[in-house]
Amino acid sequence: LLPALGLGWFAFNQIYEIKNTDQYFFQIETTSEGEMRLEEINRRMGYLAEESKELGPLVESGIETVKDLKQKYDKFSEDYTESKMAYTKEQ
């Protein structure tokens, strides 16, 4: 928990700064470097969103394959259990 809080505090301080003014006890403002970092993050997220649209059919295909494999495994497991039970009853 402590490392996560430390990492969060570090990331927060890379974008924002806390000021104490006469009007507000804590005033959180975005630094100029923080604004540039946020713009870069937003640009990269937009790029990733565009790329993920192209991966949609591939991901759907992978999901269908996994579902098919699970059905086959469940059928195999069920058949195996039935055959063991039948063998046990014969003994």
Side-chain angles (χ1 to χ4, degrees):
L1 180 63
L2 191 58
L5 290 174
L7 184 62
W9 182 255
F10 176 76
F12 179 83
N13 283 330
Q14 294 297 313
I15 298 172
Y16 301 102
E17 66 181 349
I18 299 174
K19 292 183 176 180
N20 293 328
T21 62
D22 294 336
Q23 187 176 8
Y24 299 106
F25 184 62
F26 288 113
Q27 185 174 4
I28 300 173
E29 292 183 354
T30 307
T31 63
S32 58
E33 287 183 25
E35 288 177 7
M36 291 176 15
R37 286 186 176 122
L38 287 174
E39 287 176 13
E40 179 67 17
I41 289 170
N42 287 333
R43 187 182 63 77
R44 287 185 182 182
M45 294 303 276
Y47 176 74
L48 288 174
E50 297 268 332
E51 290 294 317
S52 67
K53 288 179 185 176
E54 296 173 6
L55 294 175
L58 180 64
V59 171
E60 289 177 16
S61 162
I63 290 171
E64 291 300 320
T65 302
V66 170
K67 285 180 181 177
D68 185 44
L69 287 173
K70 183 180 181 329
Q71 288 175 351
K72 289 179 181 179
Y73 173 78
D74 289 344
K75 177 73 172 136
F76 173 77
S77 178
E78 183 179 315
D79 290 346
Y80 177 77
T81 303
E82 287 178 10
S83 70
K84 283 297 182 182
M85 295 297 284
Y87 179 76
T88 305
K89 287 181 182 177
E90 290 176 4
Q91 298 297 326

